[in-house]
Amino acid sequence: MSSDPGLAASGLATGLLQCDHFDAWRCRSCSLLQTPYAAQLAGKQAAVEALLPPLPWLPPVASTQSGFRNKAKMVVAGAVGSPTLGILGPSGEGVDLRDCALHTPGIVAALPVLAGFVTRAGLTPYDVEQRRGELKHLLVTESPDGGLMVRFVLRSQEPVARIRKHLPSLLSALGEVRVVSVNLQPEHKAILEGEQEILLAGDPTLTMGVNGFALHLRPQGFFQTNTAMAAALYAQAQEWIDEVDPDAVLDLYCGVGGFALHAAGPPARARRVLGVEISAEAIAGARLTAAEAGLDVRFEAGDAGDAASWLASLGASGAGVDAGKALVVVNPPRRGIGPELATWLESAPVDHVVYSSCNATTLARDLAAMPSLRPVAGRLLDMFPNTDHYEVVLRLERAPG
């Protein structure tokens, strides 16, 4: 056992996670699987520090190596009578990974039942080479309380009637299912899902309990795939925000509202908070969570790049709130915030930024574009164990003068 507090808190040993699929070369996605976990974490920390300016680092937050992934994105292949749920091999053949150790126990238990449902409902797996078949993916998400969201990604609506017909048997076999939907993805492209979603059964959202908040996740909404690390990430951001104690918080790329809601609570706090996200589905879920929590937080569907207007709408354009009392949170995709938003932040009436990133390379590029906002604290969270991916969160403060 390591003496590092980030490791000790997780109770992790430094041994290796054994995987038959990896050993047989059926799946090599976990590229660091043969590296002891303590070395994985140390290597990620070293890689991040090499890319970013020198700054004080908190101990990294370690994850469990297995059973952490709350979402399964399974390619469906093979035949109706014997479907595979997993990935495609180098020759386009289906590789069955329904027992993948990364997924939460509820997902592992559900996947064989879902494979049987594919056969029972006559859902023909999509053949990429032949461009025939209907069922492309099964997407399964598990909430911390064991609830499941099941989504069938289809090429067309042709199988929907059969799914509806046999759905009672699935709901009976999987009592944990809270949401069932169909997503239509008609294009022959490497796109996981399409724009149209059809709710078949259950609620419109799956509740993801995190740090006392019931975050409402809709079928097309984004949520971090490692719930424990998401909770640690939001808690760290909340700690830094509370230390600054801003009057106004602008959360850009807010998703289902995790950062914004943590910035706003408890209800007695008189802090203006606005979350902005391009996905209307995510915003609908965030608004529902805020209402249930009794928090007066605004959520708007729109372009995060229009940050000046969003900040002005909070009364924090420089006239309503001074720079020391406004804070911006950014949690962009892997491509980062980009030159336009970075340039705006460099000259904006904001002295404090919390930047959450899954790509330290683009993070370093963005930091270079806003040199007056200097990192004063950072923390790495191992969102994706057994790979070289991670999440890193920085606290930035504007340099004097």
Side-chain angles (χ1 to χ4, degrees):
M1 183 73 66
S2 169
S3 60
D4 185 296
L7 285 173
S10 70
L12 290 175
T14 58
L16 302 176
L17 179 66
Q18 194 276 330
C19 174
D20 292 341
H21 299 295
F22 185 90
D23 294 342
W25 286 82
R26 289 189 292 269
C27 175
R28 304 288 287 187
S29 299
C30 295
S31 57
L32 300 183
L33 202 62
Q34 295 180 317
T35 303
Y37 186 71
Q40 289 185 32
L41 201 60
K44 293 181 184 187
Q45 183 68 43
V48 169
E49 292 187 21
L51 286 168
L52 301 181
L55 71 140
W57 286 94
L58 293 167
V61 182
S63 171
T64 56
Q65 283 183 269
S66 62
F68 65 85
R69 190 174 179 89
N70 60 32
K71 184 173 184 178
K73 304 176 182 179
M74 313 302 281
V75 177
V76 184
V80 175
S82 55
T84 61
L85 310 181
I87 60 174
L88 295 180
S91 301
E93 76 281 8
V95 178
D96 198 279
L97 300 176
R98 68 183 77 175
D99 61 345
C100 175
L102 302 187
H103 294 138
T104 58
I107 291 176
V108 174
L111 289 175
V113 178
L114 289 167
F117 182 80
V118 170
T119 300
R120 188 179 309 111
L123 305 178
T124 307
Y126 184 69
D127 187 312
V128 175
E129 184 177 349
Q130 300 295 323
R131 301 193 179 193
R132 293 187 304 207
E134 286 292 340
L135 181 57
K136 294 185 172 184
H137 299 95
L138 270 172
L139 308 179
V140 186
T141 303
E142 183 178 17
S143 66
D145 66 357
L148 295 175
M149 176 189 293
V150 177
R151 302 172 65 204
F152 299 88
V153 181
L154 303 175
R155 185 175 68 162
S156 76
Q157 294 196 47
E158 185 274 329
V160 172
R162 294 197 302 279
I163 295 177
R164 290 186 187 276
K165 175 183 176 181
H166 294 278
L167 198 52
S169 66
L170 178 63
L171 298 176
S172 176
L174 289 178
E176 303 82 4
V177 173
R178 311 278 172 77
V179 186
V180 181
S181 68
V182 160
N183 179 272
L184 298 181
Q185 206 294 79
E187 298 185 70
H188 182 75
K189 293 181 180 179
I191 301 174
L192 183 65
E193 58 188 85
E195 295 181 2
Q196 185 178 355
E197 196 85 18
I198 304 170
L199 181 66
L200 299 184
D203 300 320
T205 66
L206 180 68
T207 302
M208 307 293 288
V210 177
N211 298 336
F213 288 102
L215 301 176
H216 285 272
L217 178 64
R218 288 177 174 258
Q220 292 180 296
F222 169 79
F223 189 80
Q224 299 282 3
T225 59
N226 189 325
T227 307
M229 292 300 99
L233 175 63
Y234 296 144
Q236 182 61 69
Q238 182 180 28
E239 179 181 324
W240 286 340
I241 293 169
D242 287 346
E243 288 175 4
V244 174
D245 194 21
D247 290 338
V249 176
L250 175 61
D251 180 7
L252 301 174
Y253 311 97
C254 72
V256 294
F259 287 108
L261 292 161
H262 282 74
R269 183 176 292 148
R271 182 179 291 166
R272 286 170 285 174
V273 180
L274 169 61
V276 179
E277 166 64 45
I278 196 68
S279 168
E281 287 284 293
I283 290 299
R287 287 172 175 168
L288 180 56
T289 302
E292 291 181 349
L295 295 175
D296 185 18
V297 183
R298 281 176 55 207
F299 288 102
E300 301 290 345
D303 182 6
D306 194 17
S309 297
W310 296 122
L311 189 64
S313 75
L314 273 171
S317 60
V321 177
D322 65 47
K325 287 300 182 180
L327 182 146
V328 174
V329 178
V330 290
N331 182 29
R334 288 187 61 80
R335 64 179 181 272
I337 62 175
E340 184 176 341
L341 184 51
T343 300
W344 175 80
L345 280 170
E346 173 64 14
S347 59
V350 173
D351 283 352
H352 303 276
V353 175
V354 174
Y355 192 137
S356 180
S357 170
C358 61
N359 186 342
T361 299
T362 56
L363 171 58
R365 180 205 64 201
D366 291 336
L367 291 176
M370 42 187 187
S372 71
L373 286 166
R374 299 179 182 175
V376 297
R379 193 161 207 178
L380 182 142
L381 302 98
D382 197 11
M383 195 75 71
F384 312 99
N386 312 311
T387 75
D388 56 5
H389 298 293
Y390 48 80
E391 190 82 12
V392 62
V393 60
L394 300 184
R395 175 178 171 179
L396 311 180
E397 290 185 358
R398 194 170 302 279

